[in-house]
Amino acid sequence: MNSFIVGYIPVFIVYLIGLILVVRWMYCDAKMRDMNPWGWILITCLFSPNFIGLILYLLFRPKDSEIKCIECGKQISGYYKYCPWCGKPNVQDVKPKEPLPHQKLLTAGIICMIISVLGALVVYMLQLNYFK
């Protein structure tokens, strides 16, 4: 039983590192979009093994390229040269954004979580003597 627990400790540590990185990214992203991050972080932590919280957050977060028209106040894509509602030129001139530095946190976190799931599978198979 001790070898069983000891085999999973590194896997669990890698998983926690991945979860921390994903939660840190989510916090930064939600703050950037003027959202309250704590509810999403709670959902992500509760449903972390199957990524449901992260997937829901990615589906329901507001788009980052939408802006308000200066003239009529309606939400428009930042890539439009003119507002489709009032025809006013888009003087804000929003260009496609480069990936933000905190997006590397999400990538690293997901990679760590996937490695930990694969590591848990290998440890489990080793415990069953699957490779002999």
Side-chain angles (χ1 to χ4, degrees):
M1 186 69 168
N2 277 343
S3 65
F4 181 76
I5 292 173
V6 170
Y8 280 107
I9 288 176
V11 171
F12 184 69
I13 290 171
V14 171
Y15 182 78
L16 280 180
I17 290 170
L19 182 61
I20 289 168
L21 290 172
V22 167
V23 165
R24 176 69 178 138
W25 171 83
M26 187 177 289
Y27 180 82
C28 292
D29 192 68
K31 282 293 195 183
M32 182 185 72
R33 295 171 195 275
D34 294 325
M35 297 171 58
N36 183 0
W38 298 110
W40 288 109
I41 289 172
L42 179 64
I43 291 171
T44 300
C45 289
L46 290 176
F47 298 109
S48 63
N50 51 16
F51 297 103
I52 289 178
L54 178 62
I55 292 168
L56 288 174
Y57 176 75
L58 292 173
L59 288 174
F60 291 113
R61 71 184 181 159
K63 305 286 186 260
D64 57 352
S65 63
E66 290 185 358
I67 58 171
K68 283 189 178 181
C69 174
I70 296 171
E71 185 71 24
C72 65
K74 295 200 178 196
Q75 291 284 358
I76 61 171
S77 172
Y79 304 112
Y80 287 154
K81 292 185 178 185
Y82 296 92
C83 174
W85 302 101
C86 68
K88 174 101 172 144
N90 181 5
V91 294
Q92 295 175 355
D93 196 26
V94 177
K95 298 196 176 25
K97 295 181 179 179
E98 293 294 321
L100 298 173
H102 73 266
Q103 288 179 332
K104 294 177 184 176
L105 291 172
L106 177 64
T107 304
I110 290 175
I111 289 171
C112 285
M113 293 173 90
I114 290 171
I115 288 172
S116 68
V117 168
L118 294 175
L121 182 63
V122 168
V123 170
Y124 178 72
M125 293 171 91
L126 286 172
Q127 295 295 328
L128 293 176
N129 295 325
Y130 185 78
F131 296 113
K132 289 186 180 182

